[in-house]
Amino acid sequence: MSAASLLSTTPVASASKRGASRTAYILLLLPLLWLFVFFVIPLVSLVSTSLYDPAGSLETGYAMTGHVQNYVSVLADYRSHILRSFAYAAAATIACIVLGYPLAYAIAFKAGRWKNLMLVAVIAPFFTSFLIRTLSWQMLLGDQAWFADALRFVHILGPDGHLLATPFAVVTGLTYNFLPFMVLPLYTSLEKVDPRLMEAGSDLYASPITTFAKVTLPLSMPGLVAGTLLTFIPAAGDYINAELLGNPRTQMIGNVIQNLFEGGSYPEAAALSVTLMAVIVVMVLVYIRRAGTEELL
Amino acid sequence: MSLPDAPADDLVLEGLTKKFGTFVAVDDLDLTVPQGAFFALLGPSGCGKTTTLRMVAGLEDATSGTIRLGSDDITHRKPYRRPVNTVFQSYALFPHLTIFENVAFGLRRQGRKDVKGAVDDMLELVELGEYAGRKPAQLSGGQQQRVALARALINRPQVLLLDEPLGALDLKLRRQMQIELKRIQVEVGITFVHVTHDQEEAMTMADTVAVMNAGVIEQMGSPIELYEHPNTTFVANFLGQSNLICGTVVATSGARVHVEVEGAKVQAPPGVSGTESGEVWVGVRPEKLNLSEAGSEPDGGSNVLRDGRVTDVSFIGVSTQYIARMPWGQELMVFEQNTGARSPYRVGDAVDLHWSPDHTFLLDPAQDVTAGVEREDAL
């Protein structure tokens, strides 16, 4: 190769490479702008709001005093709400796994030609608004509904027992509303598991249960982790289910934040929001580390 | 206490049948695989060989019939309770486990002690010791194949089933693995049942080959027996290539069967063919045919078909492949070693075809003359 051709090709090659990376940056620009406007700015605003002096009001305005005390006071006042939120979210997540795993497994391996129909059935509830579906559960769980009647009839529920306005109703609502978020990632993971691996397991002296534990379950972990996150995180911050299906003693952190905002206590509401966010981020990091699925991040 | 003539731990299939709906995949199959044999089930795709293998592994339920290992009836035993392991076509290695844990899988399920030592030894045998800590995806196809073999072999099964284990490898690697597999089989002395559609692979590796077609075994025997004395047109065509010419048996003397073929008289050895009377297919392998100039006098006792005309010549290097059109219109294949004794014939040359009567086989005329002819698209 001559020196002239070296000189002529190299700049062209690097220029086209530079051109490619410039295109990448241009393409990234819009999402980055979007993230900045709708995530970074609100986040900064939220954190700074949480540090305002709580003595102010919407009418008088708030003074930025770096009032870290906000965090101490909301933690003291609403500790039980925070714990309850995570307890309900955990219960709903576990219920989603118990209901969703067999369902996803059946769709992935047993549904045959019904596979697509079953997937549509999982997604179909989204065609109706979240609010309407939760209101329907009010009817279903109401004192006069056949479900409560049936439970009373078999004496699982006392003569003046309720289903509605109980922790059970709230967790049921959360489970119902977030079940598809568990089923879909689980299905995607299970669908990728080669059934021949299960045959290999049984060929190598593993009973069906052992094959599940040693082969299928580990291979579906990415789906299980994703499903858990997609269920647990929104469930922990949810307030609709507790509002519509619960009672004042089943209020979750979401309800408190909403009430504080409506009551004009912006700094406390913001402090509580930041706290919720921080706790969830820490929990998610620990969980992913534990589940050994760092590649999700 | 065992009887004096108690069977060894042979694998015995009796009347084994598998139906999928109305489709009969395996039809009343009887088969005995002697202990310690390297046995090949050879057939085109869809002939039922893999289904047979899966029934032995327990991955498919037999519709009827029995599978015995020695004196144990294992027909209805769960796959994880059978002393049988499989090397899967796609290897089916566990992607989330290391090579070490893949190989250790069977031992751990059986609750065996000293897994570490056994796995290290086995990885040594398949020359993958240094890869123990890797995941299957980090290995090449040939290495994955060896892991699949190690994972099955380590359990010392009574029978090792191999389902087209070399199908995913390129030609060079396949040849290498064939030798490797053969070496390991001799070393461990376990019965190997090898399913393949590659006749060359079956012949090079197995001591006994069963040719399967449409759910039944066409013929079984050593590779040489099958090749030299095929009993059906399917075997004659599927194992190598054959010239099949229509003929009529006219007489049988002690040492020879006399057949009339398109006006010529040819002879065949008695007692080795599929049929020996009436109308027959007269078969001869292309490499057994010799060409000479038309009108020349061949050695005494040879079968001769005269007045062929060369219509195609392909020079392969080690040999030359001719196609000769005979007076009755049929085209016959002739493979001639490139010994350099004389220059090759050219298209249009008039030739006589002659061969030793011992290399002649006779087949049932009712059978399809094109059965088992390999088509490129069928593979």
Side-chain angles (χ1 to χ4, degrees):
Chain A
M1 191 185 275
S2 70
S5 70
L6 257 178
L7 284 175
S8 66
T9 54
T10 328
V12 173
S14 68
S16 74
K17 197 182 262 178
R18 213 181 295 140
S21 67
R22 193 189 301 143
T23 314
Y25 283 125
I26 291 169
L27 285 173
L28 265 176
L29 205 62
L30 207 62
L32 281 175
L33 192 72
W34 194 92
L35 265 182
F36 184 77
V37 173
F38 293 104
F39 179 71
V40 178
I41 294 178
L43 187 67
V44 169
S45 154
L46 183 71
V47 172
S48 60
T49 306
S50 74
L51 297 173
Y52 286 156
D53 186 345
S57 73
L58 274 182
E59 291 75 32
T60 59
Y62 293 99
M64 179 58 182
T65 55
H67 201 80
V68 186
Q69 191 63 29
N70 284 339
Y71 285 90
V72 181
S73 68
V74 293
L75 275 177
D77 292 348
Y78 303 112
R79 202 168 60 97
S80 63
H81 291 85
I82 295 175
L83 291 178
R84 187 184 298 135
S85 291
F86 288 130
Y88 286 2
T93 304
I94 290 166
C96 280
I97 293 172
V98 171
L99 295 172
Y101 202 106
L103 179 59
Y105 189 95
I107 297 174
F109 297 118
K110 311 282 180 197
R113 62 205 180 93
W114 301 106
K115 190 182 265 189
N116 286 336
L117 192 71
M118 289 180 77
L119 280 175
V120 170
V122 169
I123 302 161
F126 287 118
F127 293 135
T128 316
S129 117
F130 182 67
L131 211 58
I132 306 250
R133 281 182 282 135
T134 311
L135 280 166
S136 315
W137 276 97
Q138 267 188 350
M139 312 280 186
L140 286 172
L141 296 174
D143 289 345
Q144 270 71 50
W146 62 267
F147 187 52
D149 277 342
L151 287 183
R152 265 185 228 109
F153 182 73
V154 296
H155 295 282
I156 287 176
L157 205 61
D160 17 84
H162 302 286
L163 285 176
L164 197 61
T166 60
F168 170 79
V170 179
V171 173
T172 301
L174 288 171
T175 305
Y176 167 78
N177 278 311
F178 293 109
L179 188 58
F181 296 102
M182 179 63 80
V183 173
L184 293 178
L186 264 178
Y187 163 77
T188 315
S189 252
L190 283 167
E191 216 255 336
K192 277 189 271 180
V193 177
D194 188 342
R196 286 174 293 196
L197 294 178
M198 300 178 201
E199 291 188 343
S202 77
D203 187 67
L204 293 164
Y205 312 103
S207 65
I209 293 171
T210 316
T211 301
F212 176 77
K214 298 288 178 187
V215 180
T216 317
L217 185 61
L219 288 173
S220 67
M221 271 321 267
L224 191 62
V225 170
T228 306
L229 297 181
L230 285 176
T231 310
F232 183 83
I233 297 172
D238 182 81
Y239 69 95
I240 299 280
N241 286 284
E243 177 82 35
L244 296 179
L245 304 174
N247 64 41
R249 278 173 294 109
T250 63
Q251 285 210 331
M252 294 170 70
I253 194 79
N255 305 91
V256 176
I257 293 171
Q258 193 210 10
N259 292 342
L260 287 173
F261 267 115
E262 280 177 355
S265 312
Y266 275 37
E268 288 96 334
L272 210 47
S273 300
V274 172
T275 307
L276 178 67
M277 210 153 73
V279 173
I280 286 177
V281 165
V282 170
M283 287 174 85
V284 165
L285 287 177
V286 170
Y287 175 65
I288 289 179
R289 186 62 56 84
R290 272 289 172 83
T293 45
E294 277 100 335
E295 57 263 40
L296 273 180
L297 286 180
Chain B
M1 199 195 89
S2 62
L3 296 167
D5 60 345
D9 286 343
D10 294 351
L11 172 67
V12 181
L13 313 182
E14 273 175 353
L16 197 63
T17 302
K18 176 68 186 180
K19 292 179 185 163
F20 295 104
T22 55
F23 173 70
V24 183
V26 178
D27 192 2
D28 196 22
L29 191 80
D30 292 313
L31 189 63
T32 300
V33 181
Q35 186 185 20
F38 199 133
F39 189 94
L41 260 181
L42 172 67
S45 48
C47 75
K49 56 190 194 302
T50 295
T51 308
T52 306
L53 197 79
R54 289 172 60 82
M55 284 193 280
V56 176
L59 300 172
E60 212 81 71
D61 287 328
T63 310
S64 63
T66 59
I67 302 166
R68 282 186 292 117
L69 244 183
S71 51
D72 284 353
D73 185 339
I74 59 165
T75 316
H76 300 294
R77 218 185 272 182
K78 296 277 185 226
Y80 51 93
R81 299 224 167 85
R82 297 185 187 208
V84 167
N85 291 108
T86 309
V87 178
F88 291 87
Q89 184 171 12
S90 54
Y91 314 142
L93 299 179
F94 302 122
H96 59 299
L97 299 179
T98 60
I99 299 312
F100 184 94
E101 283 305 321
N102 263 284
V103 176
F105 195 90
L107 294 185
R108 293 207 195 284
R109 301 291 85 74
Q110 297 174 97
R112 286 264 295 275
K113 302 274 182 294
D114 189 33
V115 170
K116 173 99 176 74
V119 173
D120 287 345
D121 288 350
M122 185 48 71
L123 285 176
E124 219 47 62
L125 179 73
V126 297
E127 292 160 6
L128 285 173
E130 61 202 287
Y131 297 94
R134 302 220 191 154
K135 294 281 181 69
Q138 294 167 292
L139 266 56
S140 71
Q143 291 169 332
Q144 291 185 23
Q145 203 282 330
R146 298 214 293 271
V147 175
L149 181 67
R151 187 179 69 169
L153 263 187
I154 196 170
N155 306 295
R156 300 274 151 176
Q158 277 173 269
V159 178
L160 184 76
L161 306 172
L162 302 110
D163 184 6
E164 306 255 8
L166 309 179
L169 305 180
D170 63 48
L171 191 67
K172 199 168 156 228
L173 202 52
R174 207 178 322 160
R175 293 279 172 267
Q176 200 182 321
M177 284 305 300
Q178 284 173 4
I179 296 164
E180 192 87 334
L181 265 180
K182 188 83 188 140
R183 172 181 73 80
I184 290 171
Q185 198 265 340
V186 171
E187 212 166 308
V188 297
I190 290 172
T191 311
F192 276 34
V193 178
H194 181 158
V195 154
T196 180
H197 67 262
D198 182 339
Q199 41 110 359
E200 218 173 302
E201 187 174 300
M203 289 202 282
T204 37
M205 296 171 77
D207 11 84
T208 308
V209 177
V211 180
M212 214 173 160
N213 182 32
V216 296
I217 287 183
E218 292 258 340
Q219 191 179 350
M220 196 170 105
S222 72
I224 294 178
E225 262 171 63
L226 290 183
Y227 188 80
E228 303 298 353
H229 305 293
N231 282 347
T232 66
T233 55
F234 181 84
V235 177
N237 290 324
F238 193 73
L239 239 66
Q241 287 168 299
S242 295
N243 293 303
L244 298 176
I245 314 155
C246 204
T248 312
V249 175
V250 288
T252 305
S253 63
R256 286 288 180 248
V257 182
H258 298 268
V259 191
E260 193 175 296
V261 175
E262 307 289 347
K265 292 246 176 10
V266 299
Q267 299 176 354
V272 292
S273 295
T275 180
E276 285 180 4
S277 61
E279 296 264 306
V280 289
W281 291 117
V282 176
V284 59
R285 298 286 188 184
E287 75 279 8
K288 300 286 167 37
L289 286 173
N290 295 304
L291 292 178
S292 61
E293 274 173 50
S296 64
E297 206 46 51
D299 302 339
S302 283
N303 291 331
V304 189
L305 293 174
R306 295 196 181 276
D307 297 327
R309 198 162 286 279
V310 175
T311 56
D312 187 72
V313 181
S314 315
F315 180 69
I316 307 290
V318 294
S319 66
T320 308
Q321 303 190 358
Y322 296 98
I323 292 176
R325 179 180 284 273
M326 302 313 290
W328 61 92
Q330 188 176 3
E331 293 194 318
L332 300 182
M333 274 178 297
V334 181
F335 298 168
E336 197 167 66
Q337 280 295 309
N338 182 16
T339 57
R342 57 169 170 66
S343 57
Y345 291 99
R346 283 191 297 262
V347 173
D349 287 352
V351 289
D352 289 347
L353 280 61
H354 52 96
W355 72 96
S356 160
D358 286 335
H359 295 146
T360 314
F361 50 87
L362 306 176
L363 302 172
D364 184 348
Q367 290 174 355
D368 179 7
V369 69
T370 60
V373 175
E374 272 186 58
R375 287 177 301 269
E376 287 298 318
D377 59 341
L379 298 177

Short mmCIF file of all heavy atoms in Angstrom, two decimals, chain A residues 194 196-208 210-211 214-216 218-219, chain B residues 54 59 79-80 82 84-86 88 90 92-96 105-106 109-110 151 155:
data_model
loop_
_atom_site.label_atom_id
_atom_site.label_comp_id
_atom_site.label_asym_id
_atom_site.label_seq_id
_atom_site.Cartn_x
_atom_site.Cartn_y
_atom_site.Cartn_z
N ASP A 194 -35.73 -23.60 26.80
CA ASP A 194 -35.85 -24.70 25.84
C ASP A 194 -36.41 -25.94 26.55
O ASP A 194 -35.81 -26.43 27.49
CB ASP A 194 -34.45 -24.99 25.29
CG ASP A 194 -34.48 -25.98 24.14
OD1 ASP A 194 -35.50 -26.69 24.00
OD2 ASP A 194 -33.49 -26.04 23.40
N ARG A 196 -36.29 -28.82 25.82
CA ARG A 196 -35.34 -29.93 25.77
C ARG A 196 -34.43 -29.95 26.99
O ARG A 196 -33.90 -30.98 27.36
CB ARG A 196 -34.51 -29.84 24.49
CG ARG A 196 -35.31 -30.25 23.26
CD ARG A 196 -34.53 -30.03 22.01
NE ARG A 196 -34.31 -28.61 21.77
CZ ARG A 196 -33.94 -28.09 20.61
NH1 ARG A 196 -33.71 -28.88 19.60
NH2 ARG A 196 -33.77 -26.81 20.47
N LEU A 197 -34.28 -28.76 27.63
CA LEU A 197 -33.48 -28.72 28.85
C LEU A 197 -34.18 -29.49 29.96
O LEU A 197 -33.55 -30.10 30.80
CB LEU A 197 -33.23 -27.28 29.28
CG LEU A 197 -32.37 -26.44 28.34
CD1 LEU A 197 -32.24 -25.03 28.87
CD2 LEU A 197 -31.00 -27.07 28.19
N MET A 198 -35.51 -29.44 29.94
CA MET A 198 -36.27 -30.19 30.96
C MET A 198 -36.14 -31.69 30.69
O MET A 198 -36.03 -32.49 31.62
CB MET A 198 -37.73 -29.76 30.94
CG MET A 198 -37.89 -28.28 31.23
SD MET A 198 -39.63 -27.82 31.12
CE MET A 198 -39.46 -26.08 30.87
N GLU A 199 -36.15 -32.04 29.41
CA GLU A 199 -35.93 -33.45 29.06
C GLU A 199 -34.54 -33.88 29.51
O GLU A 199 -34.38 -34.98 30.05
CB GLU A 199 -36.08 -33.66 27.55
CG GLU A 199 -37.49 -33.50 27.06
CD GLU A 199 -37.64 -33.91 25.59
OE1 GLU A 199 -36.62 -34.02 24.89
OE2 GLU A 199 -38.78 -34.14 25.17
N ALA A 200 -33.57 -33.00 29.29
CA ALA A 200 -32.21 -33.33 29.71
C ALA A 200 -32.17 -33.53 31.22
O ALA A 200 -31.52 -34.45 31.72
CB ALA A 200 -31.24 -32.23 29.29
N GLY A 201 -32.90 -32.69 31.95
CA GLY A 201 -32.96 -32.84 33.40
C GLY A 201 -33.51 -34.19 33.81
O GLY A 201 -32.93 -34.90 34.63
N SER A 202 -34.61 -34.58 33.18
CA SER A 202 -35.22 -35.85 33.57
C SER A 202 -34.35 -37.02 33.11
O SER A 202 -34.32 -38.07 33.74
CB SER A 202 -36.65 -35.97 33.03
OG SER A 202 -36.62 -36.28 31.66
N ASP A 203 -33.61 -36.82 32.01
CA ASP A 203 -32.69 -37.87 31.56
C ASP A 203 -31.55 -38.04 32.56
O ASP A 203 -30.97 -39.10 32.66
CB ASP A 203 -32.14 -37.49 30.18
CG ASP A 203 -31.31 -38.60 29.58
OD1 ASP A 203 -31.90 -39.66 29.26
OD2 ASP A 203 -30.08 -38.44 29.43
N LEU A 204 -31.23 -36.96 33.28
CA LEU A 204 -30.10 -36.99 34.22
C LEU A 204 -30.59 -37.16 35.66
O LEU A 204 -30.09 -36.52 36.57
CB LEU A 204 -29.27 -35.72 34.06
CG LEU A 204 -28.53 -35.61 32.72
CD1 LEU A 204 -28.05 -34.20 32.47
CD2 LEU A 204 -27.36 -36.57 32.68
N TYR A 205 -31.60 -37.98 35.83
CA TYR A 205 -32.05 -38.44 37.15
C TYR A 205 -32.73 -37.38 38.00
O TYR A 205 -32.85 -37.55 39.21
CB TYR A 205 -30.87 -39.06 37.94
CG TYR A 205 -30.09 -40.04 37.12
CD1 TYR A 205 -28.86 -39.70 36.57
CD2 TYR A 205 -30.60 -41.31 36.86
CE1 TYR A 205 -28.16 -40.60 35.79
CE2 TYR A 205 -29.91 -42.21 36.08
CZ TYR A 205 -28.68 -41.86 35.54
OH TYR A 205 -28.00 -42.74 34.77
N ALA A 206 -33.19 -36.27 37.39
CA ALA A 206 -33.90 -35.27 38.17
C ALA A 206 -35.40 -35.49 38.01
O ALA A 206 -35.90 -35.55 36.89
CB ALA A 206 -33.51 -33.87 37.71
N SER A 207 -36.10 -35.59 39.14
CA SER A 207 -37.56 -35.72 39.09
C SER A 207 -38.13 -34.41 38.56
O SER A 207 -37.43 -33.40 38.51
CB SER A 207 -38.09 -36.00 40.49
OG SER A 207 -37.84 -34.87 41.30
N PRO A 208 -39.41 -34.40 38.17
CA PRO A 208 -39.98 -33.14 37.66
C PRO A 208 -39.80 -31.97 38.63
O PRO A 208 -39.50 -30.85 38.19
CB PRO A 208 -41.46 -33.49 37.48
CG PRO A 208 -41.46 -34.95 37.21
CD PRO A 208 -40.34 -35.53 38.03
N THR A 210 -37.42 -31.58 40.95
CA THR A 210 -36.00 -31.19 40.97
C THR A 210 -35.64 -30.48 39.68
O THR A 210 -34.90 -29.49 39.70
CB THR A 210 -35.10 -32.43 41.13
OG1 THR A 210 -35.67 -33.27 42.13
CG2 THR A 210 -33.71 -32.03 41.53
N THR A 211 -36.16 -30.96 38.56
CA THR A 211 -35.88 -30.31 37.28
C THR A 211 -36.37 -28.86 37.33
O THR A 211 -35.68 -27.95 36.89
CB THR A 211 -36.57 -31.05 36.12
OG1 THR A 211 -36.11 -32.39 36.10
CG2 THR A 211 -36.25 -30.39 34.79
N LYS A 214 -33.98 -26.88 39.69
CA LYS A 214 -32.58 -26.74 39.27
C LYS A 214 -32.43 -26.17 37.85
O LYS A 214 -31.36 -25.71 37.50
CB LYS A 214 -31.88 -28.10 39.32
CG LYS A 214 -31.81 -28.71 40.70
CD LYS A 214 -30.83 -27.96 41.56
CE LYS A 214 -30.80 -28.53 42.97
NZ LYS A 214 -29.98 -27.72 43.87
N VAL A 215 -33.46 -26.29 37.06
CA VAL A 215 -33.32 -25.86 35.66
C VAL A 215 -34.31 -24.73 35.32
O VAL A 215 -33.91 -23.61 35.01
CB VAL A 215 -33.53 -27.05 34.69
CG1 VAL A 215 -33.38 -26.58 33.25
CG2 VAL A 215 -32.52 -28.15 34.98
N THR A 216 -35.61 -25.02 35.42
CA THR A 216 -36.59 -24.05 34.94
C THR A 216 -36.59 -22.77 35.78
O THR A 216 -36.54 -21.67 35.24
CB THR A 216 -38.00 -24.68 34.96
OG1 THR A 216 -37.91 -26.00 34.47
CG2 THR A 216 -38.95 -23.89 34.10
N PRO A 218 -34.27 -21.40 37.88
CA PRO A 218 -33.12 -20.51 37.69
C PRO A 218 -33.14 -19.80 36.34
O PRO A 218 -32.76 -18.63 36.26
CB PRO A 218 -31.91 -21.45 37.76
CG PRO A 218 -32.38 -22.67 38.45
CD PRO A 218 -33.86 -22.78 38.20
N LEU A 219 -33.61 -20.49 35.31
CA LEU A 219 -33.61 -19.87 33.98
C LEU A 219 -34.71 -18.81 33.86
O LEU A 219 -34.65 -17.96 32.99
CB LEU A 219 -33.78 -20.93 32.89
CG LEU A 219 -32.54 -21.81 32.67
CD1 LEU A 219 -32.84 -22.93 31.69
CD2 LEU A 219 -31.37 -20.97 32.18
N ARG B 54 -36.06 -42.07 21.79
CA ARG B 54 -36.75 -41.36 22.86
C ARG B 54 -37.59 -42.31 23.71
O ARG B 54 -37.78 -42.07 24.90
CB ARG B 54 -37.62 -40.23 22.29
CG ARG B 54 -36.78 -39.06 21.75
CD ARG B 54 -37.63 -38.04 21.02
NE ARG B 54 -38.65 -37.46 21.87
CZ ARG B 54 -38.44 -36.47 22.72
NH1 ARG B 54 -37.25 -35.93 22.82
NH2 ARG B 54 -39.42 -35.99 23.47
N LEU B 59 -38.50 -40.62 27.21
CA LEU B 59 -39.03 -39.29 26.91
C LEU B 59 -40.31 -39.37 26.08
O LEU B 59 -41.00 -38.39 25.88
CB LEU B 59 -37.98 -38.46 26.18
CG LEU B 59 -36.69 -38.25 26.98
CD1 LEU B 59 -35.63 -37.59 26.12
CD2 LEU B 59 -36.94 -37.44 28.23
N PRO B 79 -38.27 -41.53 33.02
CA PRO B 79 -36.94 -41.35 32.43
C PRO B 79 -35.85 -41.19 33.50
O PRO B 79 -34.74 -41.67 33.31
CB PRO B 79 -37.08 -40.09 31.59
CG PRO B 79 -38.39 -39.48 31.96
CD PRO B 79 -39.24 -40.58 32.49
N TYR B 80 -36.20 -40.53 34.63
CA TYR B 80 -35.16 -40.27 35.63
C TYR B 80 -34.88 -41.50 36.49
O TYR B 80 -34.09 -41.44 37.41
CB TYR B 80 -35.51 -39.05 36.49
CG TYR B 80 -36.90 -39.06 37.08
CD1 TYR B 80 -37.14 -39.55 38.36
CD2 TYR B 80 -37.97 -38.54 36.35
CE1 TYR B 80 -38.41 -39.55 38.89
CE2 TYR B 80 -39.24 -38.53 36.87
CZ TYR B 80 -39.46 -39.04 38.15
OH TYR B 80 -40.73 -39.03 38.68
N ARG B 82 -34.30 -44.50 34.84
CA ARG B 82 -33.71 -45.48 33.91
C ARG B 82 -32.19 -45.35 33.92
O ARG B 82 -31.68 -44.24 33.91
CB ARG B 82 -34.21 -45.25 32.49
CG ARG B 82 -35.68 -45.45 32.34
CD ARG B 82 -36.11 -45.32 30.89
NE ARG B 82 -37.57 -45.35 30.84
CZ ARG B 82 -38.29 -45.78 29.81
NH1 ARG B 82 -37.66 -46.20 28.74
NH2 ARG B 82 -39.59 -45.79 29.86
N VAL B 84 -30.11 -45.12 31.81
CA VAL B 84 -29.89 -44.79 30.41
C VAL B 84 -29.67 -43.29 30.33
O VAL B 84 -30.37 -42.54 31.01
CB VAL B 84 -31.16 -45.16 29.59
CG1 VAL B 84 -31.11 -44.55 28.20
CG2 VAL B 84 -31.33 -46.66 29.51
N ASN B 85 -28.68 -42.84 29.60
CA ASN B 85 -28.48 -41.40 29.41
C ASN B 85 -28.39 -41.06 27.95
O ASN B 85 -28.07 -41.91 27.13
CB ASN B 85 -27.23 -40.93 30.16
CG ASN B 85 -27.41 -40.98 31.67
OD1 ASN B 85 -26.83 -41.83 32.33
ND2 ASN B 85 -28.25 -40.11 32.18
N THR B 86 -28.68 -39.80 27.67
CA THR B 86 -28.79 -39.36 26.28
C THR B 86 -27.83 -38.21 25.99
O THR B 86 -27.67 -37.32 26.82
CB THR B 86 -30.23 -38.88 26.01
OG1 THR B 86 -31.13 -39.88 26.45
CG2 THR B 86 -30.45 -38.62 24.53
N PHE B 88 -28.01 -35.33 23.57
CA PHE B 88 -29.06 -34.75 22.74
C PHE B 88 -28.47 -34.12 21.48
O PHE B 88 -27.33 -33.66 21.48
CB PHE B 88 -29.86 -33.71 23.51
CG PHE B 88 -30.69 -34.31 24.60
CD1 PHE B 88 -30.16 -34.52 25.87
CD2 PHE B 88 -32.00 -34.70 24.37
CE1 PHE B 88 -30.93 -35.08 26.88
CE2 PHE B 88 -32.77 -35.26 25.36
CZ PHE B 88 -32.23 -35.46 26.63
N SER B 90 -29.20 -31.32 20.11
CA SER B 90 -28.86 -29.91 20.31
C SER B 90 -27.99 -29.73 21.54
O SER B 90 -27.79 -28.63 22.00
CB SER B 90 -30.15 -29.13 20.48
OG SER B 90 -30.90 -29.71 21.53
N ALA B 92 -28.44 -29.65 24.52
CA ALA B 92 -29.28 -29.31 25.67
C ALA B 92 -28.46 -29.13 26.94
O ALA B 92 -28.81 -29.61 28.01
CB ALA B 92 -30.37 -30.37 25.88
N LEU B 93 -27.34 -28.41 26.82
CA LEU B 93 -26.56 -28.08 28.02
C LEU B 93 -27.31 -27.02 28.82
O LEU B 93 -27.98 -26.18 28.25
CB LEU B 93 -25.18 -27.56 27.62
CG LEU B 93 -24.30 -28.53 26.83
CD1 LEU B 93 -22.99 -27.87 26.47
CD2 LEU B 93 -24.06 -29.81 27.60
N PHE B 94 -27.16 -27.08 30.15
CA PHE B 94 -27.84 -26.09 30.99
C PHE B 94 -27.08 -24.77 30.91
O PHE B 94 -25.95 -24.68 31.38
CB PHE B 94 -27.92 -26.59 32.43
CG PHE B 94 -28.63 -27.91 32.55
CD1 PHE B 94 -28.00 -29.00 33.11
CD2 PHE B 94 -29.92 -28.08 32.07
CE1 PHE B 94 -28.65 -30.22 33.21
CE2 PHE B 94 -30.57 -29.29 32.15
CZ PHE B 94 -29.93 -30.37 32.73
N PRO B 95 -27.69 -23.74 30.30
CA PRO B 95 -26.93 -22.51 30.03
C PRO B 95 -26.54 -21.75 31.29
O PRO B 95 -25.60 -20.98 31.27
CB PRO B 95 -27.89 -21.69 29.16
CG PRO B 95 -29.24 -22.23 29.46
CD PRO B 95 -29.06 -23.68 29.80
N HIS B 96 -27.27 -21.98 32.40
CA HIS B 96 -27.00 -21.20 33.62
C HIS B 96 -25.95 -21.86 34.50
O HIS B 96 -25.55 -21.30 35.51
CB HIS B 96 -28.29 -20.99 34.40
CG HIS B 96 -28.95 -22.28 34.83
ND1 HIS B 96 -29.40 -23.22 33.91
CD2 HIS B 96 -29.22 -22.78 36.04
CE1 HIS B 96 -29.93 -24.24 34.57
NE2 HIS B 96 -29.83 -24.01 35.85
N PHE B 105 -24.22 -32.71 37.13
CA PHE B 105 -25.68 -32.70 37.36
C PHE B 105 -26.24 -34.08 37.72
O PHE B 105 -26.91 -34.25 38.73
CB PHE B 105 -26.39 -32.15 36.11
CG PHE B 105 -27.82 -31.75 36.34
CD1 PHE B 105 -28.15 -30.48 36.75
CD2 PHE B 105 -28.85 -32.67 36.16
CE1 PHE B 105 -29.47 -30.10 36.96
CE2 PHE B 105 -30.17 -32.31 36.37
CZ PHE B 105 -30.47 -31.02 36.77
N GLY B 106 -25.94 -35.07 36.88
CA GLY B 106 -26.48 -36.41 37.11
C GLY B 106 -26.00 -37.02 38.41
O GLY B 106 -26.78 -37.64 39.15
N ARG B 109 -27.78 -35.46 41.42
CA ARG B 109 -29.17 -35.92 41.57
C ARG B 109 -29.21 -37.31 42.17
O ARG B 109 -30.15 -37.68 42.85
CB ARG B 109 -29.89 -35.92 40.22
CG ARG B 109 -29.96 -34.57 39.52
CD ARG B 109 -30.86 -33.59 40.22
NE ARG B 109 -30.21 -32.85 41.30
CZ ARG B 109 -29.32 -31.86 41.10
NH1 ARG B 109 -28.94 -31.53 39.90
NH2 ARG B 109 -28.80 -31.22 42.13
N GLN B 110 -28.17 -38.10 41.92
CA GLN B 110 -28.14 -39.45 42.48
C GLN B 110 -27.53 -39.46 43.88
O GLN B 110 -27.37 -40.51 44.48
CB GLN B 110 -27.33 -40.38 41.58
CG GLN B 110 -27.94 -40.55 40.20
CD GLN B 110 -27.04 -41.36 39.29
OE1 GLN B 110 -27.20 -42.56 39.13
NE2 GLN B 110 -26.06 -40.70 38.71
N ARG B 151 -21.35 -35.26 30.19
CA ARG B 151 -22.45 -35.14 31.13
C ARG B 151 -23.27 -36.43 31.18
O ARG B 151 -23.80 -36.81 32.23
CB ARG B 151 -23.36 -33.97 30.70
CG ARG B 151 -24.44 -33.64 31.67
CD ARG B 151 -25.26 -32.47 31.20
NE ARG B 151 -26.06 -32.81 30.01
CZ ARG B 151 -27.01 -32.03 29.52
NH1 ARG B 151 -27.27 -30.88 30.09
NH2 ARG B 151 -27.68 -32.39 28.46
N ASN B 155 -22.34 -40.76 34.30
CA ASN B 155 -23.27 -41.55 35.10
C ASN B 155 -23.11 -43.05 34.88
O ASN B 155 -23.84 -43.83 35.46
CB ASN B 155 -24.70 -41.13 34.78
CG ASN B 155 -24.90 -39.64 34.95
OD1 ASN B 155 -24.80 -39.13 36.05
ND2 ASN B 155 -25.14 -38.93 33.85
#
